[in-house]
């Protein structure tokens, strides 16, 4: 969703300022803006792997963010709280030329959470209650004063699926694994928080990713967003520099947005696992470090959920 949100962000902020109508008890997809501007939009579906044909009366110009279902699907209605998957194509409102074809990247998820609802209510309302297979048109105003001038952009996204989110665990669950000798040792304190000892542990020559508890949940993919609890210490000295436990709650992040040692060390692991990571500095924050995290690092990561 990152590229799509980059296209829509200015409009989303404007829509948030404008507010929106309250969703009905049995929500159906809600339009926004002057939808007559989108009456000429015609979409020729080419399946889920190829961008559709998009035709409309040119030039297309809107003065406010405008959203409308232009083709209704025949699937189940999307529900609040689900994760929807979609593909989209963005075109220029002046000449209809493709700005971005995201069909080549495959389906992208969007979480229909209260956070999305409060931040971008019209997008939330357009998707919640829409039927799977629907094509939704979203037009964002241009900016004539920009250099160069920006025309109206039209994004057409297709809803491919929607599913309930997988449950997030409170703690790791699975089979206890005895690690080999020579690694940092991990014990839980009386509150169940992992405590890491690095006494006598040699600097790693390569990344070490060792299960301490082997979960039985979904396998982590490099493109996933994880929910975890974790503790991190420096290998030299064992000083703790970060802990989600200290903040009293788990944290979520895309696996593509963290240090390489996490991305490489957690891909292929399973939900429910507790993983010991011993990370050389070149896969962490380099020789300079970051804050109190310096040199080779050690983490214990509890994988509680994935999406």
């Amino acid at each position: 969703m990152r590229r799509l949100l980059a296209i829509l962000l200015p409009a989303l902020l404007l829509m948030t300022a404008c507010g929106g109508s309250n969703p009905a008890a049995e929500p159906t997809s809600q339009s926004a803006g002057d939808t007559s501007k989108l009456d000429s939009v015609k979409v020729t579906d080419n399946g889920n792997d190829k961008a559709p044909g998009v035709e409309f009366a040119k030039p297309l110009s809107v003065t406010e963010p405008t959203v409308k279902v232009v083709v209704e699907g025949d699937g189940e209605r999307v529900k609040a709280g689900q994760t929807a998957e979609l593909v989209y194509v963005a075109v220029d409102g002046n000449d209809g030329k493709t700005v971005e074809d995201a069909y080549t990247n495959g389906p992208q998820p969007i979480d229909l959470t209260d956070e999305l609802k409060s931040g971008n209510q019209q997008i939330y309302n357009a998707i919640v209650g829409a039927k799977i297979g629907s094509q939704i048109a979203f037009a964002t105003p241009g900016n004539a004063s920009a250099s160069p001038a920006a025309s109206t952009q039209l994004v057409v996204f297709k809803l491919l699926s929607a599913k309930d989110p997988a449950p997030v665990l409170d703690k790791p669950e699975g089979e206890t694994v005895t690690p080999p000798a020579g690694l940092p040792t991990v014990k839980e304190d009386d509150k169940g928080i992992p405590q890491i000892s690095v006494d006598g542990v040699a600097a790693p020559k390569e990344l070490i990713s060792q299960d301490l508890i082997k979960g039985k949940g979904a396998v982590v993919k490099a493109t996933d967003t994880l929910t975890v609890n974790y503790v991190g210490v420096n290998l030299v000295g064992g000083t703790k520099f970060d802990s989600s436990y200290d903040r009293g709650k788990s944290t979520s992040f895309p696996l593509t947005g963290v240090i390489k040692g996490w991305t490489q060390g957690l891909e292929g692991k399973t939900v429910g696992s507790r993983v010991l990571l011993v990370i050389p500095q070149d896969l962490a924050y380099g020789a300079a470090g970051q804050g109190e995290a310096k040199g080779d690092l050690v983490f214990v990561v509890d994988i509680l959920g994935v999406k």
Side-chain angles (χ1 to χ4, degrees), residues 167-176 211-220 226-228 269-275 301-306:
V168 176
L169 302 175
D170 293 325
K171 60 182 181 180
E173 297 178 358
E175 181 181 352
T176 300
D211 286 324
L212 302 178
I213 297 174
K214 176 64 173 176
K216 298 181 180 179
V219 176
V220 173
L226 305 187
T227 299
V228 304
K269 298 299 183 181
T270 51
V271 173
S273 295
R274 168 169 289 174
V275 183
V301 183
D302 294 341
I303 305 175
L304 306 177
V306 64

Side-chain angles (χ1 to χ4, degrees), residues 35-44 53-58 60 62 66 68-71 91 135-139 154-156:
T35 58
S36 66
K37 298 286 189 179
L38 302 179
D39 285 349
S40 68
V41 176
K42 306 297 181 186
V43 178
T44 303
V54 179
E55 298 180 358
F56 52 90
K58 303 176 184 64
L60 172 65
V62 297
T66 304
K68 177 184 178 182
V69 174
V70 292
V71 178
V91 301
Q135 301 270 9
I136 301 176
F138 187 98
L154 175 65
V155 179
V156 178

Side-chain angles (χ1 to χ4, degrees), residues 1 4 84-88 106-110 127 157-160:
M1 288 298 295
L4 175 60
E85 286 195 326
L86 56 83
V87 283
Y88 68 91
Q108 299 188 45
I110 182 168
I127 296 176
F157 54 94
K158 181 180 182 180
L159 296 176
L160 301 183

Side-chain angles (χ1 to χ4, degrees), residues 5-86:
L5 292 180
I7 292 173
L8 302 185
L9 182 59
L12 296 177
L13 294 176
L14 177 59
M15 293 171 103
T16 302
C18 295
S21 58
N22 293 325
E26 294 291 339
T28 56
S29 179
Q30 297 180 24
S31 300
D34 182 3
T35 58
S36 66
K37 298 286 189 179
L38 302 179
D39 285 349
S40 68
V41 176
K42 306 297 181 186
V43 178
T44 303
D45 188 81
N46 290 318
N48 297 339
D49 301 320
K50 183 179 179 181
V54 179
E55 298 180 358
F56 52 90
K58 303 176 184 64
L60 172 65
S61 179
V62 297
T63 58
E64 61 181 336
T66 304
V67 59
K68 177 184 178 182
V69 174
V70 292
V71 178
E72 185 173 52
D74 57 7
E76 297 291 325
R77 292 193 181 275
V78 179
K79 299 176 182 177
Q82 291 186 317
T83 296
E85 286 195 326
L86 56 83

